[in-house]
Amino acid sequence: MTDIIFANVSNPITPDISIIHDDDSFRVQWSARNVSNHDISSFVDRLVIQSIPEGCPGSDSVDHDTVFDSDVDGAASDFTEPDLRAGTAGPLMNPSVGPFSAGDYRLTVTLAKDLGVGHTTFDCITIVVRVTAGATAG
């Protein structure tokens, strides 16, 4: 049973900036909603970012390099949600990640991964090379 879903079902995971350059750090944002009829104690979400060399959205039949995994990268507090009362949404989660090389990436979030009652989904983004004024092609 999935008791915790993404609060914004039409746009569940988003970066905080629309154009991400290869020298930018950025925030990955999402919010959880408790759709059960009982309160849920504090829980931990998981963010995994994978490089998708074949382009977005990628294929699940291909192994992808992981460039960030909140289980080992970042601060645990950035992925810990507070208690959620029945029927309520949690705060906006917005951990900072990057920078990453130019290319396509899959941002996958699993809500309440430690409790096993959360939904998982992904968003695919493209990171571009920053072109500076006065740069010349060689």
Side-chain angles (χ1 to χ4, degrees), residues 1-72:
M1 171 77 182
T2 302
D3 290 339
I4 301 175
I5 64 169
F6 290 91
N8 182 344
V9 294
S10 62
N11 203 10
I13 304 166
T14 59
D16 68 333
I17 51 180
S18 58
I19 298 174
I20 304 169
H21 296 98
D22 58 347
D23 59 353
D24 289 334
S25 290
F26 61 97
R27 294 187 177 277
V28 180
Q29 301 177 324
W30 69 89
S31 182
R33 175 176 296 282
N34 178 353
V35 293
S36 74
N37 58 6
H38 61 279
D39 296 347
I40 296 180
S41 296
S42 178
F43 54 89
V44 178
D45 298 332
R46 182 178 186 197
L47 169 63
V48 175
I49 302 175
Q50 294 177 309
S51 175
I52 309 295
E54 71 271 20
C56 286
S59 170
D60 290 333
S61 63
V62 176
D63 287 333
H64 299 107
D65 289 337
T66 298
V67 298
F68 182 93
D69 183 341
S70 64
D71 279 354
V72 294

Side-chain angles (χ1 to χ4, degrees), residues 33-132:
R33 175 176 296 282
N34 178 353
V35 293
S36 74
N37 58 6
H38 61 279
D39 296 347
I40 296 180
S41 296
S42 178
F43 54 89
V44 178
D45 298 332
R46 182 178 186 197
L47 169 63
V48 175
I49 302 175
Q50 294 177 309
S51 175
I52 309 295
E54 71 271 20
C56 286
S59 170
D60 290 333
S61 63
V62 176
D63 287 333
H64 299 107
D65 289 337
T66 298
V67 298
F68 182 93
D69 183 341
S70 64
D71 279 354
V72 294
D73 301 312
S77 60
D78 288 341
F79 303 95
T80 301
E81 300 248 19
D83 297 349
L84 274 184
R85 296 178 62 96
T88 64
L92 180 68
M93 303 299 287
N94 61 349
S96 181
V97 298
F100 303 116
S101 300
D104 292 323
Y105 293 86
R106 188 185 281 188
L107 314 174
T108 302
V109 174
T110 300
L111 300 172
K113 66 103 184 170
D114 59 331
L115 301 178
V117 294
H119 188 242
T120 299
T121 195
F122 72 90
D123 186 23
C124 208
I125 63 169
T126 299
I127 296 176
V128 297
V129 173
R130 181 175 305 278
V131 177
T132 57

